[in-house]
Coordinates of all heavy atoms in Angstrom, one line a residue:
M1 N -52.1 38.0 17.8 CA -53.0 38.0 18.9 C -52.6 39.1 19.9 O -51.5 39.3 20.1 CB -52.9 36.6 19.6 CG -53.9 36.4 20.7 SD -53.8 34.7 21.3 CE -54.6 34.9 22.9
S2 N -53.6 39.7 20.4 CA -53.4 40.8 21.3 C -53.0 40.3 22.7 O -53.2 39.2 23.1 CB -54.6 41.7 21.4 OG -55.7 41.0 22.0
E3 N -52.4 41.2 23.5 CA -52.0 40.8 24.9 C -53.2 40.6 25.7 O -54.2 41.3 25.6 CB -51.2 42.0 25.4 CG -50.5 41.7 26.7 CD -49.6 42.8 27.2 OE1 -48.8 43.3 26.3 OE2 -49.6 43.1 28.3
S4 N -53.1 39.6 26.6 CA -54.3 39.2 27.4 C -54.5 40.3 28.5 O -53.5 40.9 29.0 CB -54.0 37.9 28.1 OG -54.0 36.8 27.2
T5 N -55.7 40.5 28.9 CA -56.1 41.4 29.9 C -55.8 40.7 31.3 O -55.6 39.5 31.3 CB -57.6 41.8 29.9 OG1 -58.4 40.6 30.1 CG2 -57.9 42.4 28.5
L6 N -55.8 41.5 32.3 CA -55.6 40.9 33.7 C -56.7 39.9 34.0 O -56.5 38.9 34.6 CB -55.6 42.0 34.7 CG -54.3 42.9 34.7 CD1 -54.5 44.0 35.7 CD2 -53.1 42.1 34.9
F7 N -58.0 40.2 33.5 CA -59.1 39.3 33.8 C -58.8 38.0 33.1 O -59.0 36.9 33.6 CB -60.4 39.9 33.3 CG -61.5 38.9 33.5 CD1 -62.0 38.6 34.7 CD2 -62.0 38.2 32.4 CE1 -63.1 37.7 34.9 CE2 -63.1 37.3 32.5 CZ -63.6 37.0 33.8
Q8 N -58.4 38.0 31.8 CA -58.1 36.8 31.0 C -57.0 36.0 31.7 O -57.0 34.8 31.8 CB -57.7 37.2 29.6 CG -58.9 37.7 28.8 CD -58.5 38.3 27.5 OE1 -57.4 38.9 27.4 NE2 -59.3 38.1 26.5
L9 N -55.9 36.7 32.2 CA -54.8 36.0 32.8 C -55.3 35.4 34.1 O -54.8 34.3 34.5 CB -53.7 37.0 33.1 CG -52.9 37.5 31.9 CD1 -51.9 38.5 32.2 CD2 -52.2 36.3 31.2
S10 N -56.2 36.0 34.8 CA -56.8 35.4 36.0 C -57.5 34.1 35.7 O -57.5 33.1 36.5 CB -57.6 36.4 36.8 OG -58.9 36.5 36.2
R11 N -58.2 34.1 34.6 CA -59.0 32.9 34.2 C -58.0 31.8 33.7 O -58.2 30.6 34.0 CB -60.0 33.2 33.1 CG -61.1 34.2 33.4 CD -62.0 33.7 34.5 NE -61.4 33.8 35.8 CZ -61.7 32.9 36.8 NH1 -62.5 32.0 36.7 NH2 -61.1 33.1 38.0
I12 N -56.9 32.2 33.1 CA -55.9 31.2 32.7 C -55.2 30.6 33.9 O -55.0 29.4 34.0 CB -54.9 31.9 31.8 CG1 -55.5 32.3 30.4 CG2 -53.6 31.0 31.6 CD1 -54.7 33.2 29.5
Y13 N -54.9 31.4 34.9 CA -54.4 30.9 36.2 C -55.3 29.9 36.8 O -54.9 28.9 37.3 CB -54.1 32.1 37.1 CG -53.6 31.7 38.5 CD1 -52.3 31.6 38.8 CD2 -54.5 31.4 39.5 CE1 -51.8 31.2 40.0 CE2 -54.1 31.0 40.8 CZ -52.8 30.9 41.0 OH -52.3 30.5 42.3
A14 N -56.6 30.3 36.8 CA -57.7 29.4 37.4 C -57.7 28.1 36.7 O -57.9 27.0 37.3 CB -59.0 30.1 37.4
G15 N -57.5 28.1 35.3 CA -57.5 26.8 34.6 C -56.3 26.0 35.0 O -56.4 24.8 35.1
G16 N -55.2 26.6 35.2 CA -54.0 25.9 35.7 C -54.2 25.3 37.1 O -53.8 24.2 37.4
W17 N -54.8 26.1 37.9 CA -55.2 25.7 39.3 C -56.1 24.5 39.2 O -55.8 23.5 39.9 CB -55.8 26.8 40.0 CG -56.2 26.5 41.4 CD1 -57.4 25.9 41.8 CD2 -55.5 26.7 42.6 NE1 -57.4 25.7 43.2 CE2 -56.2 26.2 43.7 CE3 -54.2 27.2 42.9 CZ2 -55.8 26.3 45.0 CZ3 -53.8 27.3 44.2 CH2 -54.5 26.8 45.2
L18 N -57.1 24.5 38.4 CA -58.0 23.3 38.3 C -57.2 22.1 37.9 O -57.5 21.0 38.4 CB -59.1 23.7 37.4 CG -60.2 22.6 37.2 CD1 -60.8 22.2 38.5 CD2 -61.2 23.0 36.2
A19 N -56.4 22.2 36.9 CA -55.6 21.1 36.4 C -54.7 20.6 37.5 O -54.5 19.4 37.7 CB -54.8 21.5 35.2
G20 N -54.1 21.5 38.3 CA -53.3 21.1 39.4 C -54.1 20.4 40.5 O -53.6 19.4 41.1
R21 N -55.3 20.8 40.8 CA -56.2 20.2 41.7 C -56.6 18.8 41.3 O -56.8 17.9 42.1 CB -57.4 21.0 42.0 CG -57.2 22.4 42.6 CD -56.8 22.3 44.0 NE -57.9 21.7 44.8 CZ -57.8 21.4 46.1 NH1 -56.7 21.7 46.7 NH2 -58.8 20.9 46.8
N22 N -56.6 18.6 40.0 CA -57.0 17.3 39.4 C -55.7 16.4 39.3 O -55.9 15.3 38.8 CB -57.7 17.4 38.1 CG -59.0 18.0 38.2 OD1 -59.7 17.8 39.2 ND2 -59.4 18.8 37.2
S23 N -54.6 16.9 39.7 CA -53.3 16.1 39.6 C -52.7 16.1 41.0 O -51.5 16.5 41.2 CB -52.4 16.7 38.6 OG -53.0 16.8 37.4
P24 N -53.4 15.6 42.0 CA -52.9 15.7 43.4 C -51.6 14.9 43.7 O -50.9 15.1 44.6 CB -54.0 15.2 44.3 CG -54.8 14.3 43.4 CD -54.7 14.9 42.0
D25 N -51.4 13.9 42.9 CA -50.2 13.0 43.1 C -48.9 13.4 42.4 O -48.0 12.7 42.4 CB -50.6 11.5 42.7 CG -51.7 11.0 43.6 OD1 -51.8 11.4 44.7 OD2 -52.5 10.2 43.0
T26 N -49.0 14.6 41.8 CA -47.8 15.1 41.1 C -46.6 15.3 42.1 O -46.8 16.0 43.1 CB -48.1 16.4 40.4 OG1 -49.2 16.2 39.5 CG2 -46.9 16.9 39.6
D27 N -45.5 14.7 41.8 CA -44.3 14.9 42.6 C -43.8 16.3 42.4 O -43.6 16.8 41.2 CB -43.3 13.9 42.1 CG -42.0 13.9 43.0 OD1 -41.7 14.9 43.7 OD2 -41.3 12.9 42.9
P28 N -43.5 17.1 43.4 CA -43.0 18.4 43.3 C -41.7 18.5 42.4 O -41.5 19.5 41.7 CB -42.7 18.9 44.7 CG -43.6 18.1 45.5 CD -43.7 16.8 44.8
A29 N -40.9 17.5 42.4 CA -39.7 17.4 41.5 C -40.1 17.3 40.1 O -39.3 17.7 39.2 CB -38.8 16.3 41.9
D30 N -41.3 16.8 39.7 CA -41.7 16.7 38.4 C -42.7 17.7 37.9 O -43.2 17.6 36.8 CB -42.3 15.3 38.2 CG -41.3 14.2 38.4 OD1 -40.1 14.4 38.1 OD2 -41.8 13.1 38.8
M31 N -43.0 18.7 38.8 CA -44.1 19.7 38.5 C -43.8 20.4 37.2 O -44.8 20.6 36.4 CB -44.2 20.7 39.6 CG -45.2 20.2 40.6 SD -45.7 21.6 41.7 CE -44.2 22.3 42.2
D32 N -42.6 20.8 36.9 CA -42.3 21.6 35.7 C -42.6 20.8 34.5 O -43.3 21.3 33.5 CB -40.9 22.0 35.7 CG -40.6 23.1 36.7 OD1 -41.5 23.9 37.0 OD2 -39.4 23.2 37.2
S33 N -42.2 19.5 34.4 CA -42.4 18.7 33.2 C -43.9 18.4 33.1 O -44.4 18.4 31.9 CB -41.6 17.5 33.2 OG -41.9 16.6 34.3
V34 N -44.6 18.1 34.1 CA -46.0 17.8 34.1 C -46.8 19.0 33.6 O -47.7 19.0 32.7 CB -46.6 17.3 35.4 CG1 -48.1 17.1 35.4 CG2 -45.9 16.0 35.8
A35 N -46.5 20.2 34.2 CA -47.2 21.4 33.8 C -46.9 21.7 32.4 O -47.9 22.1 31.6 CB -46.7 22.6 34.7
D36 N -45.7 21.6 31.9 CA -45.4 21.9 30.5 C -46.2 21.0 29.6 O -46.6 21.4 28.5 CB -43.9 21.8 30.2 CG -43.1 22.9 30.8 OD1 -43.7 24.0 31.1 OD2 -41.9 22.8 31.0
R37 N -46.3 19.7 30.0 CA -47.0 18.7 29.1 C -48.5 19.0 29.1 O -49.2 18.9 28.0 CB -46.8 17.3 29.7 CG -47.3 16.2 28.8 CD -46.9 14.8 29.2 NE -47.5 14.5 30.5 CZ -46.8 14.3 31.7 NH1 -45.5 14.5 31.7 NH2 -47.4 14.0 32.8
L38 N -49.1 19.5 30.2 CA -50.6 19.7 30.2 C -51.0 21.1 29.8 O -52.1 21.3 29.4 CB -51.1 19.5 31.6 CG -50.9 18.0 32.2 CD1 -51.3 18.0 33.7 CD2 -51.7 17.1 31.4
N39 N -50.1 22.0 29.8 CA -50.4 23.4 29.5 C -50.9 23.6 28.0 O -50.2 23.3 27.1 CB -49.1 24.3 29.7 CG -49.4 25.7 29.7 OD1 -50.3 26.2 29.1 ND2 -48.6 26.5 30.4
P40 N -52.1 24.2 27.9 CA -52.6 24.4 26.5 C -52.2 25.7 25.9 O -52.6 25.9 24.7 CB -54.1 24.4 26.8 CG -54.3 25.0 28.1 CD -53.1 24.4 28.9
Y41 N -51.4 26.5 26.5 CA -51.1 27.8 26.0 C -49.7 27.9 25.4 O -48.7 27.2 26.0 CB -51.2 28.9 27.1 CG -52.6 29.0 27.5 CD1 -53.1 28.3 28.7 CD2 -53.5 29.8 26.8 CE1 -54.4 28.4 29.0 CE2 -54.8 29.9 27.2 CZ -55.3 29.2 28.3 OH -56.6 29.3 28.7
Q42 N -49.5 28.6 24.3 CA -48.2 28.7 23.7 C -47.6 30.1 24.0 O -46.3 30.2 24.1 CB -48.3 28.5 22.2 CG -48.9 27.2 21.8 CD -47.9 26.1 22.2 OE1 -46.7 26.2 22.0 NE2 -48.5 25.0 22.8
A43 N -48.4 31.1 24.0 CA -47.8 32.5 24.3 C -47.2 32.5 25.6 O -47.7 32.0 26.6 CB -49.0 33.5 24.2
P44 N -46.0 33.2 25.8 CA -45.3 33.2 27.0 C -46.1 33.6 28.2 O -46.0 33.0 29.3 CB -44.1 34.1 26.7 CG -43.9 34.1 25.3 CD -45.3 33.9 24.7
A45 N -46.8 34.8 28.2 CA -47.5 35.3 29.3 C -48.6 34.3 29.8 O -48.7 34.0 31.0 CB -48.1 36.6 29.0
E46 N -49.3 33.8 28.9 CA -50.4 32.9 29.2 C -49.9 31.5 29.7 O -50.4 31.0 30.7 CB -51.3 32.6 28.0 CG -52.2 33.8 27.6 CD -51.5 34.8 26.7 OE1 -50.3 34.6 26.4 OE2 -52.1 35.8 26.3
S47 N -48.9 31.0 29.0 CA -48.2 29.8 29.4 C -47.7 29.9 30.8 O -47.9 29.0 31.7 CB -47.2 29.4 28.4 OG -46.5 28.2 28.8
Q48 N -47.0 31.0 31.1 CA -46.4 31.1 32.4 C -47.5 31.2 33.5 O -47.3 30.7 34.6 CB -45.5 32.4 32.4 CG -44.8 32.7 33.7 CD -44.0 33.9 33.7 OE1 -44.4 34.9 33.0 NE2 -42.9 33.9 34.3
R49 N -48.5 31.9 33.2 CA -49.6 32.1 34.2 C -50.3 30.8 34.5 O -50.6 30.4 35.6 CB -50.6 33.1 33.7 CG -51.6 33.6 34.7 CD -51.0 34.2 35.9 NE -50.2 35.4 35.7 CZ -50.7 36.7 35.8 NH1 -51.9 36.9 36.2 NH2 -49.9 37.7 35.5
W50 N -50.6 30.0 33.4 CA -51.2 28.7 33.6 C -50.3 27.8 34.5 O -50.7 27.1 35.4 CB -51.5 28.0 32.2 CG -52.3 26.8 32.3 CD1 -53.7 26.8 32.1 CD2 -51.9 25.5 32.6 NE1 -54.1 25.5 32.3 CE2 -53.1 24.7 32.5 CE3 -50.7 24.9 32.8 CZ2 -53.1 23.3 32.8 CZ3 -50.7 23.5 33.1 CH2 -51.8 22.7 33.0
N51 N -49.0 27.7 34.1 CA -48.0 26.9 34.9 C -48.0 27.3 36.4 O -48.0 26.5 37.2 CB -46.6 27.1 34.3 CG -46.4 26.2 33.1 OD1 -47.2 25.4 32.7 ND2 -45.3 26.4 32.5
R52 N -48.1 28.6 36.6 CA -48.1 29.1 38.0 C -49.3 28.6 38.7 O -49.2 28.2 39.9 CB -48.0 30.6 38.0 CG -48.0 31.1 39.4 CD -47.4 32.5 39.5 NE -46.1 32.4 38.8 CZ -45.2 33.3 38.8 NH1 -45.3 34.3 39.6 NH2 -44.1 33.1 38.1
G53 N -50.5 28.7 38.1 CA -51.7 28.2 38.7 C -51.6 26.7 39.0 O -52.0 26.2 40.1
F54 N -51.1 25.9 38.1 CA -50.9 24.5 38.2 C -50.0 24.2 39.4 O -50.4 23.4 40.3 CB -50.3 23.9 37.0 CG -50.1 22.4 37.1 CD1 -51.1 21.5 36.7 CD2 -48.9 21.9 37.5 CE1 -50.9 20.1 36.8 CE2 -48.7 20.5 37.6 CZ -49.7 19.6 37.2
K55 N -48.9 24.8 39.5 CA -47.9 24.5 40.5 C -48.4 25.0 41.9 O -48.2 24.3 42.9 CB -46.6 25.3 40.2 CG -45.9 24.7 39.0 CD -44.7 25.5 38.6 CE -44.1 25.1 37.3 NZ -42.9 25.9 36.9
D56 N -49.1 26.1 41.9 CA -49.6 26.6 43.2 C -50.6 25.6 43.8 O -50.7 25.3 45.0 CB -50.2 28.0 43.1 CG -49.2 29.1 43.0 OD1 -48.0 28.8 43.1 OD2 -49.6 30.2 42.7
A57 N -51.5 25.1 42.9 CA -52.5 24.1 43.3 C -51.8 22.8 43.9 O -52.2 22.3 44.9 CB -53.4 23.8 42.2
V58 N -50.8 22.3 43.1 CA -50.2 21.1 43.6 C -49.5 21.3 44.9 O -49.6 20.5 45.8 CB -49.2 20.6 42.5 CG1 -48.3 19.5 43.1 CG2 -49.9 20.1 41.3
L59 N -48.8 22.4 45.1 CA -48.2 22.7 46.3 C -49.2 22.9 47.5 O -49.0 22.4 48.6 CB -47.3 24.0 46.2 CG -46.1 23.8 45.3 CD1 -45.4 25.2 45.1 CD2 -45.1 22.8 45.8
R60 N -50.3 23.5 47.2 CA -51.3 23.7 48.2 C -51.9 22.4 48.7 O -52.1 22.1 49.9 CB -52.4 24.6 47.7 CG -53.6 24.8 48.6 CD -53.2 25.6 49.8 NE -52.8 27.0 49.5 CZ -53.6 28.0 49.7 NH1 -54.8 27.9 50.1 NH2 -53.1 29.2 49.4
I61 N -52.1 21.5 47.7 CA -52.7 20.1 48.1 C -51.7 19.4 49.0 O -52.1 18.7 49.9 CB -52.9 19.3 46.8 CG1 -54.1 19.8 46.0 CG2 -53.1 17.8 47.1 CD1 -54.2 19.2 44.7
Q62 N -50.4 19.6 48.8 CA -49.4 18.9 49.5 C -49.0 19.7 50.8 O -48.1 19.3 51.5 CB -48.1 18.7 48.7 CG -48.4 17.8 47.5 CD -47.3 17.6 46.6 OE1 -46.2 18.2 46.7 NE2 -47.5 16.8 45.6
G63 N -49.8 20.7 51.1 CA -49.7 21.4 52.4 C -48.6 22.5 52.4 O -48.2 23.0 53.5
I64 N -48.1 22.9 51.2 CA -47.1 23.9 51.2 C -47.8 25.3 50.9 O -48.5 25.4 49.9 CB -46.0 23.6 50.1 CG1 -45.4 22.3 50.4 CG2 -45.0 24.7 50.0 CD1 -44.5 21.7 49.3
R65 N -47.6 26.2 51.7 CA -48.3 27.5 51.6 C -47.8 28.3 50.4 O -46.5 28.3 50.2 CB -48.2 28.3 52.9 CG -48.9 29.6 52.9 CD -48.8 30.3 54.2 NE -49.1 31.7 54.1 CZ -50.3 32.2 54.5 NH1 -51.1 31.4 55.1 NH2 -50.5 33.4 54.3
V66 N -48.6 28.9 49.6 CA -48.2 29.7 48.5 C -48.9 31.1 48.6 O -49.9 31.2 49.1 CB -48.6 29.1 47.1 CG1 -47.9 27.8 46.9 CG2 -50.1 28.8 47.0
K67 N -48.2 32.1 48.1 CA -48.7 33.4 48.1 C -48.9 33.9 46.6 O -48.2 34.8 46.1 CB -47.7 34.4 48.8 CG -47.6 34.1 50.3 CD -46.8 35.2 50.9 CE -46.8 35.0 52.4 NZ -46.0 36.0 53.1
S68 N -49.8 33.3 45.9 CA -50.0 33.5 44.5 C -50.4 35.0 44.3 O -49.9 35.6 43.3 CB -51.0 32.6 44.0 OG -50.6 31.3 44.1
L69 N -51.3 35.5 45.1 CA -51.8 36.8 44.8 C -50.6 37.8 44.8 O -50.5 38.7 43.9 CB -52.8 37.2 45.8 CG -53.5 38.6 45.6 CD1 -54.2 38.6 44.2 CD2 -54.5 38.9 46.6
D70 N -49.7 37.7 45.8 CA -48.6 38.6 45.8 C -47.7 38.5 44.5 O -47.3 39.5 44.0 CB -47.7 38.4 47.0 CG -48.4 38.7 48.3 OD1 -49.4 39.4 48.3 OD2 -48.0 38.2 49.4
R71 N -47.5 37.3 44.1 CA -46.7 37.1 42.9 C -47.4 37.5 41.7 O -46.8 38.1 40.8 CB -46.3 35.6 42.8 CG -45.3 35.2 43.8 CD -44.8 33.9 43.5 NE -45.8 32.9 43.8 CZ -45.8 31.6 43.4 NH1 -44.7 31.2 42.7 NH2 -46.7 30.8 43.7
L72 N -48.7 37.3 41.6 CA -49.5 37.7 40.4 C -49.5 39.2 40.2 O -49.4 39.8 39.1 CB -50.9 37.1 40.4 CG -50.9 35.6 40.3 CD1 -52.4 35.2 40.4 CD2 -50.4 35.2 39.0
V73 N -49.7 39.9 41.3 CA -49.8 41.4 41.3 C -48.5 42.0 40.9 O -48.4 43.0 40.2 CB -50.3 41.9 42.6 CG1 -50.2 43.5 42.7 CG2 -51.7 41.5 42.9
G74 N -47.4 41.3 41.3 CA -46.0 41.9 41.0 C -45.6 41.7 39.5 O -44.6 42.2 39.1
E75 N -46.3 40.9 38.8 CA -45.9 40.7 37.4 C -46.4 41.7 36.5 O -47.4 42.3 36.6 CB -46.5 39.3 36.9 CG -45.8 38.2 37.6 CD -46.3 36.9 37.1 OE1 -46.9 36.8 36.0 OE2 -46.1 35.9 37.8

């Protein structure tokens, strides 16, 4: 499989974000295990991007500010 484009990675992030928005009661201490369980991607870049979207959404719901764009551009 070829490497994902930036657009594809943005859509993967959005998918993780949507899953995170649909999991508002996720305990921040359990975010990694929940994200790993729900993540549909196996390739490292895609999996990491989906996890990031999921975690950012959960943190945002809980009122913790995230700077996703800065982190995404830096990757």
